[in-house]
Amino acid sequence: MAVKPIRVAMLGCGTVGGEVVRLLREQAAELSARAGAPFEIVGIAVRRPHKHAELGELLTTDASALVTRDDVDVVVEVIGGIEPARTLLLEALKAGKSVVSANKALLAEDGAALAEAADASGADLYYEASVAGAIPLLRPLRESLAGDRITRVAGIVNGTTNFILSAMTASGSSYADALEEATRLGYAEADPSADVDGYDAASKAAILATIAFHTRVTSADVHCEGIRNVTSADIAAAAGMGCVIKLLAICERLPASETAPESVSARVYPAMIPATHPLASVDGAFNAVFVEADAAGQLMFYGQGAGGAPTASAVLGDLVAVARNKVMGGRGPRESSYARLPVIPMGSVPTRYHVSLDVADRAGVLSTIAGEFARHGVSIAAVRQTGVGNGGAAARLVVVTHAAPESAQAATVAVLAGLDAVHGVDSVLRVEDLGRKGVAG
Ligand code: NDP
Ligand code: HSE
């Protein structure tokens, strides 16, 4: 008896969708052998069909009708954005169609609604491509590490910003020049704000934290700072410490204390990491994510985080999973949000600061500055002073702190900036000790 095909509706046929269609066609025989059934594309919804004339009768502009058609088994969403993608996927799931999506913005904002709709109809919901492109990350977290307790997921999940920071580090170029180069090479979009302001990474952090900690975390829960304000002085300051600056997405499980329950932190910001850390050598548009779990220890995932073909690889992996589930008569893993840990506000997160100050070089200045750190309960780990000229009257003072609540660190810097003896705050950067066990100390 002939095996029934898995009938696929495509929503979008751009950078990623175009590659999914190409690979589905070029590798049809092998994909069919792996999935246990052949794939058949039954419709492709786009906005501007004239741009896709080669797709002929498969094309439609009525995405809403396509996702509920009787002859559709699985919907692949590679449109992006919140609407109409959300409505289309909810309609599809309600109609019992399984969904494969690459849409990090939607998953991070309203993944719970999609998961509930999938549960209600018994459909599959897969979204490996939404985080770190080609890198298998969500399935390892959700399935391979299901027997372990994940304590931290931290990494570089935005290729555009990593390209810019790598260029600033390697060639000393300014942020503006590095962004121009990223745009010329096609990494950065005409409007690069989702990347450079950290929103893209924040969406990915929300998805990672949700899966890693069995707790619903949305993009609104993620503290987000981008790289627009990273200066050449910051890069030099990091180099002086044997560090590099990376835009990090950090998802952490914070242990319970006497005053607070166990909680979760999800945040995105540029931070100094030791040049010897594996993440430091991840350059250009590559992504890498460092995972720490109680039993497994430290794991690192590395590869291409964007681009049509790499992202299509992740979409096709999900499609094969959906097909196997259909052939075998089962379902993929459901959403796991049983832990319901609170997400703590950024002000309470323990962070370490590296502060570079231009100060008056006279008796008592160091003690005044140290006193402000002490007054805010921030312990100093190291201090370095160098003369910067002005007849010996000015000096550069670099202070590196131990971990203390972010609100105390920020309040200290605000007070320091107003002191007579402080001529300027050159650079304020967080320092991440990614190998540490726990972060409370
Ligand atoms: P593109 O802009 O290249 O493609 C979007 C596609 O969606 C186009 O074919 C467009 O049609 C179609 N489309 C847009 N709006 C509608 C609509 N209302 N109805 C029907 N079709 C519509 O996006 P990408 O391929 O780059 O990204 C797709 C998704 O993949 C996004 O969620 C993105 O975040 C994610 N992703 C992308 C990566 C990448 O490297 N590009 C990496 C990882 C994830 P038309 O062609 O007619 O304009
Ligand atoms: N704009 C994203 C990046 C694409 O630069 O990494 C992948 O999500």
Side-chain angles (χ1 to χ4, degrees):
M1 199 174 71
V3 182
K4 282 207 306 199
I6 303 296
R7 297 161 301 179
V8 179
M10 297 283 307
L11 301 183
C13 196
T15 307
V16 178
E19 286 299 300
V20 171
V21 170
R22 179 181 71 79
L23 291 166
L24 270 174
R25 287 174 167 172
E26 286 180 11
Q27 302 187 3
E30 282 206 69
L31 287 168
S32 166
R34 289 181 210 143
F39 290 100
E40 180 189 347
I41 301 174
V42 295
I44 303 175
V46 295
R47 253 178 326 188
R48 299 165 293 179
H50 60 276
K51 282 184 62 196
H52 307 276
E54 74 286 357
L55 296 171
E57 293 194 347
L58 287 175
L59 285 175
T60 176
T61 52
D62 191 349
S64 186
L66 177 62
V67 297
T68 51
R69 256 167 50 180
D70 286 344
D71 65 343
V72 168
D73 298 309
V74 50
V75 172
V76 174
E77 187 268 309
V78 276
I79 291 178
I82 305 300
E83 288 294 351
R86 170 170 43 202
T87 302
L88 292 168
L89 294 192
L90 288 172
E91 281 171 9
L93 290 164
K94 203 170 154 198
K97 319 294 183 191
S98 289
V99 162
V100 172
S101 175
N103 192 336
K104 65 214 118 177
L106 176 57
L107 265 305
E109 183 171 306
D110 219 0
L114 297 179
E116 282 168 14
D119 277 350
S121 69
D124 271 333
L125 173 63
Y126 282 89
Y127 42 95
E128 181 66 62
S130 65
V131 181
I135 307 172
L137 186 58
L138 303 192
R139 194 167 292 125
L141 290 176
R142 197 157 69 159
E143 298 184 36
S144 317
L145 290 166
D148 209 337
R149 188 169 175 278
I150 296 170
T151 50
R152 184 186 287 135
V153 181
I156 298 161
V157 292
N158 183 269
T160 305
T161 48
N162 199 50
F163 177 89
I164 293 171
L165 292 174
S166 300
M168 290 174 74
T169 303
S171 65
S173 52
S174 67
Y175 167 76
D177 288 346
L179 173 59
E180 199 177 304
E181 176 76 345
T183 309
R184 193 179 64 75
L185 291 171
Y187 295 123
E189 309 253 342
D191 173 7
S193 49
D195 293 319
V196 299
D197 292 327
Y199 303 128
D200 175 82
S203 293
K204 294 164 180 171
I207 295 169
L208 290 171
T210 296
I211 295 177
F213 306 130
H214 308 276
T215 290
R216 286 178 177 171
V217 178
T218 69
S219 37
D221 296 320
V222 182
H223 174 85
C224 177
E225 293 172 34
I227 65 163
R228 277 186 205 266
N229 297 325
V230 176
T231 62
S232 304
D234 292 330
I235 301 281
M241 291 274 298
C243 291
V244 296
I245 298 176
K246 294 290 184 189
L247 182 72
L248 297 178
I250 303 167
C251 311
E252 264 172 347
R253 186 194 285 274
L254 299 165
S257 68
E258 279 175 15
T259 52
E262 183 181 38
S263 60
V264 159
S265 159
R267 52 198 201 267
V268 168
Y269 47 64
M272 286 170 53
I273 59 172
T276 50
H277 191 278
L279 287 178
S281 53
V282 176
D283 283 332
F286 277 80
N287 285 192
V289 177
F290 206 66
V291 176
E292 293 175 58
D294 276 353
Q298 300 182 331
L299 306 161
M300 187 154 143
F301 299 81
Y302 170 83
Q304 297 192 65
T311 309
S313 162
V315 171
L316 287 169
D318 282 352
L319 257 180
V320 169
V322 168
R324 285 175 176 161
N325 295 339
K326 288 202 178 298
V327 170
M328 300 301 290
R331 262 195 84 190
R334 292 160 181 236
E335 181 199 30
S336 171
S337 58
Y338 69 88
R340 293 188 171 78
L341 297 173
V343 182
I344 61 165
M346 185 61 197
S348 306
V349 174
T351 57
R352 294 185 63 200
Y353 266 35
H354 171 287
V355 186
S356 177
L357 306 164
D358 272 343
V359 299
D361 193 3
R362 59 169 191 260
V365 168
L366 182 56
S367 121
T368 304
I369 289 170
E372 286 302 334
F373 280 99
R375 199 166 66 78
H376 288 87
V378 179
S379 171
I380 292 173
V383 178
R384 192 179 62 202
Q385 180 177 324
T386 48
V388 289
N390 197 11
R396 164 112 359 104
L397 194 65
V398 173
V399 179
V400 183
T401 73
H402 286 298
E406 167 71 21
S407 55
Q409 304 271 20
T412 310
V413 173
V415 171
L416 293 180
L419 294 178
D420 280 349
V422 175
H423 300 155
V425 179
D426 285 340
S427 156
V428 180
L429 287 163
R430 296 187 187 86
V431 181
E432 287 296 326
D433 300 330
L434 292 167
R436 265 178 313 150
K437 269 274 178 199
V439 289

